[in-house]
Amino acid sequence: MAKDLRESELLKSPITVADYLFRRLAQVGVESVHGVPGDYNLVALDAVPRCGLRWVGNCNELNAGYAADGYARIKGISALVTTFGVGELSAINAIAGAYSEFVPIVHIVGQPSTVSQRDGMLLHHTLGNGNFEVFADMNKGISCAVAKLNDAHEAATLIDNAIRECWIKSRPVYITLPTDMVERKIEGERLKTEIDLSAPENDPEQEDYAVDVVLKSLQAARSPVILVDACAIRHRVLDEVHEFVAKSGLPVFVTPMGKGAIDESLSTFGGVYAGSGSGPAVRERVESSDLILTIGALKTDFNTAGFSYRISQLATIDFHSTYLRVRYSEYPGVNMKGALRKIIAKMGKLNVQPGPVPTNDIAEVEQDMSNDQVITHAWLWPRLGHWLRPDDIMITETGTSNFGIWETRFEKGMTAISQVLWGSIGYAVGACQGAALAAKETGSRRTVLFVGDGSFQLTAQEVSTMIRHGLNPIIFLICNEGYTIERYIHGMDAEYNDVQEWMYKDLINVFGADPNKSKTYQVRTKQELHDLFNDEEFSAAPFIQFVEVYMPKKDAPWVLKMTAESSAKTNSKPGSIASDPCTTYASSLYGIHSGEGEGDQDDTDKEADIEADITREIAGLRRLDAEAIFQPVRLDVKCVLFFKTRAPVEPVSFVHAICKDAHGVAGTKRSRWAKRLTPMSMMAKATEKGLDEVAMTVLEPHFHSGVEGSKKFAIRTTIRNHNTLTRDTVIRQVAKLVGSPHSVDLENPDVFILVEVFKNTCGMSVVPGVDFHTLKRYNLAEIYDPAARPGQTHPSMSC
């Protein structure tokens, strides 16, 4: 204590660690703190009102995590407080979801004192083994920064760094606050200087080069389009995106996770693109484009309607928060915010081909309400679009609502909240509380929730928190007797997909709502819901309102049915050299599905005949479709299989995608027999003339046509069962055709030129140099073996 007093006397502006932490949160825009009290965080919570913040107090930590997620999606960042062990583990699902979906939450965990931890005391909320690090270790993989406030001298620096990382990387951070650190005094002068939340600027030279490459492709394109995805929202580049859309005049589309990123009232807005889950006009316009500019893409299964994109990387430019990719060339460290600003400044007139114009028109078969009054998804979601208002916040639960909202055209300024990637059912109820609270803090935005009865039963208690804080969301509960999305994946009539029917609307009274400041409804027909939408008092949302909407048990949006079918096939498909990687990636990248295989064997059958397995798997390639997307070519080279591909499969991007994904799950072997994959963009006879023909065609787009500046390259040659062309001859001939101003760099090339000579055939491709060695020169066997990369961590998904 004496030491603390002496330290306090030396401080200009003494402040407790807890006060410093909460004042910093207030400075970055947090006004309310979600969480649940526990004995290890109680003293810290005393600082919340002292710092001008509001304590929310949720029903449980999982709900609190969901609420913090919804709050952050409106306010930009949020704070969650839990207690050691039991509390933080209850919240860990919500934190993992926020990490997955790039949502910034500052998770503060009250811990036992540093003395108790040092002595390994057997305290409550522990595992009884003296290990106080186990829960922090669990959180490391779902946090972009971890700050352990065990030393008062480091506390302020650790707090500032964690909040900055949370904001810039748009992901959760984990801060531990031991009980004996809460009231320790530290220097408060730092609070006079706000945390620098600006993202690092791009290197000007790298940015200029990458931007010039983009502009050259953009100017040459005949029918370019823009596709905006979730990370354009998460990484706060919407101002740049909107300016780019306005100045370019190009057709702009959003993905399901990108809903709300674009003003859907714009004449250039074309609709939602999700591969086969798109409307025919949207799909035709996007997939026929010769250049697609994706901004913040997250190509997940539900976001792409079961990996059903038919877009070639050869026609794609990807903008991300940490890199830019033009076709197969990657530019690390060039973030999309800076690149877009410069593109907007330099961009001239472009070739613009108009896109489709989406509407909220209801399908003709659903329009006549006199014949069929049953509320269907085909009728509901377009009809909803006529009721929505500018600036609404629309929250949809995993399941029918998430997919149905694709069919709803938004009003200007609307925000969409959903959890398409993580997909934790029950999320939307908690998120609604957080979003509605954030809406109350920022103005008078209307908050609307659509949730299914099965999902609602997981987190229903959070409606009481909404009532407690006087929030006024409109909650539409879809009553359809259980888990519809699971029914379509598996078990349509299975008991495990059913739920007990509740008297849902009565919960408003059970949770103590003032009858004069709440209202409930029950609608079973289209006319009743139509009349409710037209009720001005209802639409004004003066207080919390709860609507039971009854729909058929087996009705679902058409795109949910299609995606669920794809998910079911993915879940049940055994691994093999044909179906995985080739067949699987033909499906995920291009939406090409194989016929049902007869008698696929378990990959773990050690008694299986290897030659029979390979024969069967090659046959599986022939079943991909009627035109055989992969055609085996016989060259009788031992231990090497050759397959000819056709559009839309492009060998370089195809192999690169397989190897990059394999690198992300090293140690989880997905292919039994394939060891190395080598892409060849073009093949010809193995003569000097044939090599010239191949080289001139393959090298042209990478080194000559429309390429400014110089590239560094390296040539890798493999020759098997051939004695005419030598390695030196091949290298000299290819290097000559590359020509100036490009130069050889064997250590750090921009691209590798792969040349393969087998018997009387030669082939060539140009692959990215940035990760060729990281991907073990496309050697799957080495990628899958973690021992080949000691101590190396797996890369997380970035956007």
Side-chain angles (χ1 to χ4, degrees), residues 162-325:
I163 293 174
R164 173 177 163 77
E165 289 294 292
C166 182
W167 180 273
I168 290 176
K169 293 182 179 177
S170 195
R171 273 180 159 161
V173 294
Y174 179 83
I175 298 178
T176 63
L177 183 55
T179 54
D180 58 341
M181 294 298 300
V182 172
E183 296 188 304
R184 285 287 300 275
K185 295 294 179 65
I186 60 175
E187 182 58 73
E189 285 292 298
R190 290 175 65 117
L191 291 171
K192 295 179 180 178
T193 304
E194 294 189 356
I195 301 171
D196 180 11
L197 300 178
S198 57
E201 294 290 327
N202 291 332
D203 175 86
E205 188 174 353
Q206 288 181 328
E207 182 181 77
D208 285 342
Y209 183 86
V211 165
D212 286 346
V213 173
V214 172
L215 288 172
K216 188 169 290 293
S217 295
L218 193 53
Q219 297 287 352
R222 299 182 303 278
S223 59
V225 299
I226 302 169
L227 180 61
V228 184
D229 210 335
C231 283
I233 304 170
R234 307 290 196 269
H235 291 290
R236 306 175 185 88
V237 296
L238 289 187
D239 288 344
E240 289 79 9
V241 169
H242 294 162
E243 189 176 352
F244 179 47
V245 168
K247 185 174 180 181
S248 70
L250 295 176
V252 59
F253 301 83
V254 295
T255 67
M257 290 181 73
K259 279 286 280 185
I262 296 296
D263 176 5
E264 298 188 13
S265 66
L266 290 174
S267 60
T268 54
F269 178 71
V272 177
Y273 176 72
S276 299
S278 319
V282 170
R283 187 175 178 185
E284 167 62 25
R285 181 64 184 86
V286 173
E287 294 177 358
S288 66
S289 173
D290 61 344
L291 184 65
I292 301 112
L293 299 103
T294 75
I295 304 177
L298 276 173
K299 298 176 183 177
T300 70
D301 52 356
F302 283 6
N303 202 33
T304 61
F307 300 116
S308 61
Y309 275 20
R310 286 180 175 268
I311 297 174
S312 170
Q313 188 60 40
L314 271 174
T316 304
I317 296 176
D318 299 310
F319 294 86
H320 293 279
S321 63
T322 58
Y323 68 96
L324 190 154
R325 183 189 294 121

Side-chain angles (χ1 to χ4, degrees), residues 246-490:
K247 185 174 180 181
S248 70
L250 295 176
V252 59
F253 301 83
V254 295
T255 67
M257 290 181 73
K259 279 286 280 185
I262 296 296
D263 176 5
E264 298 188 13
S265 66
L266 290 174
S267 60
T268 54
F269 178 71
V272 177
Y273 176 72
S276 299
S278 319
V282 170
R283 187 175 178 185
E284 167 62 25
R285 181 64 184 86
V286 173
E287 294 177 358
S288 66
S289 173
D290 61 344
L291 184 65
I292 301 112
L293 299 103
T294 75
I295 304 177
L298 276 173
K299 298 176 183 177
T300 70
D301 52 356
F302 283 6
N303 202 33
T304 61
F307 300 116
S308 61
Y309 275 20
R310 286 180 175 268
I311 297 174
S312 170
Q313 188 60 40
L314 271 174
T316 304
I317 296 176
D318 299 310
F319 294 86
H320 293 279
S321 63
T322 58
Y323 68 96
L324 190 154
R325 183 189 294 121
V326 181
R327 298 182 173 88
Y328 303 111
S329 298
E330 208 164 280
Y331 301 90
V334 179
N335 69 62
M336 54 186 166
K337 196 175 190 74
L340 284 170
R341 283 200 210 103
K342 195 156 285 185
I343 288 168
I344 293 165
K346 292 185 172 184
M347 181 174 59
K349 187 176 175 62
L350 304 176
N351 296 317
V352 178
Q353 298 293 329
V357 179
T359 69
N360 279 315
D361 293 343
I362 299 171
E364 186 174 345
V365 70
E366 297 284 343
Q367 287 179 6
D368 187 359
M369 292 193 296
S370 63
N371 291 332
D372 187 358
Q373 280 290 312
V374 175
I375 300 171
T376 62
H377 287 281
W379 178 86
L380 171 62
W381 300 107
R383 176 63 184 88
L384 174 66
H386 296 282
W387 175 74
L388 296 176
R389 296 180 174 181
D391 300 319
D392 278 351
I393 299 170
M394 173 59 65
I395 304 153
T396 51
E397 179 59 81
T398 297
T400 55
S401 302
N402 255 3
F403 288 92
I405 202 68
W406 301 9
E407 302 294 320
T408 304
R409 186 173 186 181
F410 281 6
E411 292 294 321
K412 183 177 181 179
M414 283 186 61
T415 299
I417 295 178
S418 62
Q419 207 182 50
V420 175
L421 174 54
W422 186 245
S424 183
I425 61 173
Y427 159 82
V429 180
C432 178
Q433 182 265 294
L437 180 58
K440 184 178 180 179
E441 293 174 357
T442 56
S444 57
R445 300 179 68 182
R446 192 172 66 166
T447 305
V448 180
L449 166 66
F450 273 85
V451 60
D453 50 9
S455 296
F456 181 76
Q457 291 192 7
L458 274 75
T459 49
Q461 317 97 303
E462 221 48 44
V463 173
S464 79
T465 309
M466 302 178 202
I467 295 169
R468 178 185 178 188
H469 289 280
L471 306 180
N472 60 339
I474 300 176
I475 301 173
F476 292 91
L477 182 83
I478 297 176
C479 300
N480 56 4
E481 304 178 53
Y483 304 119
T484 302
I485 187 169
E486 277 87 348
R487 293 190 197 282
Y488 276 94
I489 294 174
H490 183 78

Side-chain angles (χ1 to χ4, degrees), residues 494-746:
E495 185 179 5
Y496 49 71
N497 283 327
D498 298 335
V499 297
Q500 171 64 30
E501 188 173 352
W502 290 1
M503 300 174 72
Y504 294 101
K505 63 185 180 64
D506 292 349
L507 289 176
I508 297 296
N509 294 327
V510 171
F511 291 143
D514 183 341
N516 296 316
K517 294 182 179 178
S518 62
K519 202 162 185 179
T520 63
Y521 305 85
Q522 189 177 82
V523 294
R524 295 179 179 272
T525 69
K526 291 176 181 175
Q527 189 62 54
E528 289 174 347
L529 187 52
H530 177 79
D531 292 342
L532 188 61
F533 281 149
N534 289 334
D535 184 330
E536 280 301 318
E537 182 183 358
F538 168 77
S539 299
F543 38 63
I544 189 168
Q545 298 178 99
F546 194 98
V547 186
E548 290 182 0
V549 182
Y550 285 83
M551 304 183 72
K553 179 178 180 178
K554 297 182 180 180
D555 185 39
W558 69 272
V559 71
L560 181 150
K561 298 175 184 179
M562 185 200 73
T563 306
E565 181 183 1
S566 173
S567 181
K569 287 181 178 178
T570 300
N571 291 343
S572 62
K573 186 179 295 181
S576 67
I577 187 176
S579 65
D580 192 353
C582 293
T583 303
T584 298
Y585 278 83
S587 171
S588 66
L589 295 178
Y590 309 108
I592 303 166
H593 301 288
S594 66
E596 295 300 323
E598 300 85 23
D600 288 333
Q601 287 191 330
D602 187 344
D603 196 40
T604 62
D605 182 5
K606 296 182 180 180
E607 300 301 319
D609 180 86
I610 293 176
E611 291 298 328
D613 272 0
I614 293 176
T615 300
R616 179 167 49 254
E617 291 168 5
I618 293 173
L621 290 176
R622 298 191 182 104
R623 290 198 303 267
L624 271 169
D625 63 20
E627 299 177 60
I629 204 75
F630 297 102
Q631 296 179 3
V633 178
R634 291 186 177 276
L635 290 183
D636 295 323
V637 179
K638 191 174 182 179
C639 296
V640 181
L641 300 175
F642 299 85
F643 291 96
K644 181 179 180 181
T645 69
R646 65 166 178 81
V649 176
E650 193 287 315
V652 173
S653 60
F654 187 71
V655 168
H656 189 266
I658 293 172
C659 294
K660 194 163 187 178
D661 283 358
H663 183 261
V665 292
T668 306
K669 191 171 182 180
R670 292 181 174 179
S671 176
R672 188 173 183 186
W673 306 117
K675 303 299 182 185
R676 184 192 296 275
L677 301 174
T678 303
M680 291 288 104
S681 298
M682 184 177 175
M683 307 288 287
K685 288 185 177 180
T687 63
E688 290 191 13
K689 180 181 179 182
L691 182 62
D692 270 354
E693 292 173 354
V694 169
M696 286 189 288
T697 301
V698 173
L699 300 177
E700 177 71 17
H702 298 279
F703 295 98
H704 305 303
S705 180
V707 176
E708 291 186 357
S710 61
K711 282 186 179 180
K712 297 177 292 182
F713 68 93
I715 302 170
R716 290 184 59 87
T717 303
T718 301
I719 299 177
R720 306 182 195 215
N721 297 13
H722 177 88
N723 54 19
T724 302
L725 293 173
T726 66
R727 183 176 180 277
D728 288 344
T729 300
V730 170
I731 291 174
R732 281 197 302 269
Q733 193 167 339
V734 172
K736 181 179 179 181
L737 290 170
V738 170
S740 61
H742 311 294
S743 59
V744 173
D745 186 335
L746 301 181

